[in-house]
Amino acid sequence: MMKNILEAKFVKEMCDTTANMYRLGWDERNGGNISYMLDEKEVAEYFDINCILRTIPLGFNANELAGKYFIVTGTGKYFKNVEKNPEENLGLFRISKDGKNAELLWGYSDGGKFTSELPAHLMSHIARLKVDPENRVVIHSHPTYTLAMNFVHELDEKKFTHTLWEMCTECIVVFPDGVGVLPWMLCGTDEIGEATAKKMEEFRLVIWAMHGIYGAGKTLDETFGLIETVEKAAQIYMLTCNRPRINTIKDEDMVKLAEYFGVKYRKDFLNI
């Protein structure tokens, strides 16, 4: 007998994460999306994996992820509604053998489909899995202060990362690999997906200028925490950027932090 999908840990995690992101104001209306890669074993506890509800074209070839399972937020869906009606706002599917389709096993019950940003998500999964085989999550959101910072700070990866690292003692420890930055690009296209994936080869966090941020990680908590830390640092920056700076975290102090916590940091992003 199959278990109740609404009791699945991964569904509850998606509901909790989307609710938190909406509460924080990161995902207004239908802004933002999440993709979470699952193991066949955990999926098979809830479904007959051979019973495909419908096949949805991906719009690009994801053959490197053929046979992989994902639970993904739906296109046009509001994060505030996921917790109330997960079956309509989420979908669980398998990438077909030829990599061209999503084989829907559950969700999108109103006839909908996955987020329009799915190509960017899947390209990012492919890139991150080559760097970290345990990567399972990609989150895109529109955190308020991170976005505001885009308009008043140089969109240079080294300078942007360095400023964030200066804002909170924990920053260089939480994201020692820094933050990648892309210029404004048309969303929902293969071009921005390919550019994001390229950045994901060296960063777990990628800024989409004047749009939002992409984060990748092993779990929903880790990935949420990455974006949360950037957003806190950006908030502190925006609250202080028009005032004289009397104190700062020095580069030599950042080195002490990184080395004390044993993280591999971007030494080229420091001014030493």
Side-chain angles (χ1 to χ4, degrees):
M1 184 176 177
M2 298 294 179
K3 296 180 181 178
N4 180 359
I5 182 63
L6 297 181
E7 297 298 319
K9 181 183 177 183
F10 53 81
V11 171
K12 290 183 175 181
E13 285 179 318
M14 288 289 282
C15 290
D16 289 345
T17 303
T18 50
N20 266 332
M21 292 170 74
Y22 181 78
R23 176 181 58 82
L24 289 166
W26 295 0
D27 296 276
E28 71 294 335
R29 200 172 181 268
N30 62 319
N33 23 79
I34 300 176
S35 60
Y36 182 4
M37 189 171 72
L38 306 172
D39 294 327
E40 182 175 296
K41 184 178 178 181
E42 60 186 331
V43 172
E45 293 181 24
Y46 301 93
F47 307 104
D48 175 356
I49 59 174
N50 296 310
C51 183
I52 299 168
L53 300 180
R54 55 191 168 99
T55 300
I56 310 170
L58 290 175
F60 84 111
N61 195 324
N63 62 320
E64 291 181 73
L65 295 171
K68 300 292 187 183
Y69 294 82
F70 292 88
I71 187 167
V72 180
T73 49
T75 186
K77 301 304 182 185
Y78 293 23
F79 271 25
K80 71 182 179 69
N81 295 332
V82 174
E83 194 171 33
K84 291 183 288 185
N85 191 350
E87 190 169 6
E88 182 177 306
N89 295 285
L90 301 173
L92 194 156
F93 56 81
R94 177 177 57 224
I95 305 295
S96 61
K97 290 181 180 178
D98 63 5
K100 296 179 180 178
N101 297 290
E103 298 171 340
L104 186 67
L105 301 176
W106 172 83
Y108 306 145
S109 59
D110 61 348
K113 58 182 286 190
F114 43 73
T115 170
S116 61
E117 302 290 1
L118 186 65
H121 278 252
L122 296 183
M123 290 178 195
S124 292
H125 277 285
I126 291 168
R128 287 307 305 168
L129 285 167
K130 290 174 181 176
V131 178
D132 179 5
E134 295 184 11
N135 190 87
R136 297 180 75 185
V137 175
V138 172
I139 293 178
H140 169 54
S141 65
H142 308 155
T144 306
Y145 289 96
T146 304
L147 260 176
M149 189 172 166
N150 287 190
F151 292 90
V152 298
H153 193 286
E154 290 178 79
L155 294 174
D156 172 271
E157 289 170 348
K158 175 179 177 178
K159 293 177 181 178
F160 204 93
T161 295
H162 192 276
T163 295
L164 292 172
W165 282 351
E166 286 182 304
M167 294 301 108
C168 301
T169 295
E170 66 176 351
C171 283
I172 196 170
V173 177
V174 174
F175 52 98
D177 42 346
V179 176
V181 179
L182 288 175
W184 187 92
M185 299 176 71
L186 184 63
C187 56
T189 64
D190 284 358
E191 287 75 17
I192 196 168
E194 290 164 359
T196 306
K198 184 66 178 172
K199 292 290 184 186
M200 283 281 181
E201 292 174 5
E202 56 178 318
F203 301 104
R204 290 172 297 157
L205 292 156
V206 180
I207 298 286
W208 281 10
M210 282 72 75
H211 182 149
I213 192 169
Y214 259 66
K218 296 178 179 66
T219 66
L220 280 170
D221 267 357
E222 178 195 8
T223 313
F224 178 91
L226 283 171
I227 297 172
E228 185 178 34
T229 307
V230 168
E231 174 66 353
K232 180 64 173 286
Q235 181 178 6
I236 295 169
Y237 174 77
M238 293 304 298
L239 289 170
T240 59
C241 64
N242 291 322
R243 299 171 183 268
R245 185 179 295 183
I246 298 172
N247 305 300
T248 192
I249 301 173
K250 299 179 177 65
D251 285 43
E252 52 265 37
D253 295 328
M254 294 185 207
V255 171
K256 291 176 186 176
L257 277 165
E259 293 182 352
Y260 180 79
F261 285 97
V263 295
K264 185 178 179 181
Y265 62 102
R266 289 290 301 259
K267 295 180 180 180
D268 56 322
F269 279 12
L270 293 177
N271 300 313
I272 52 175

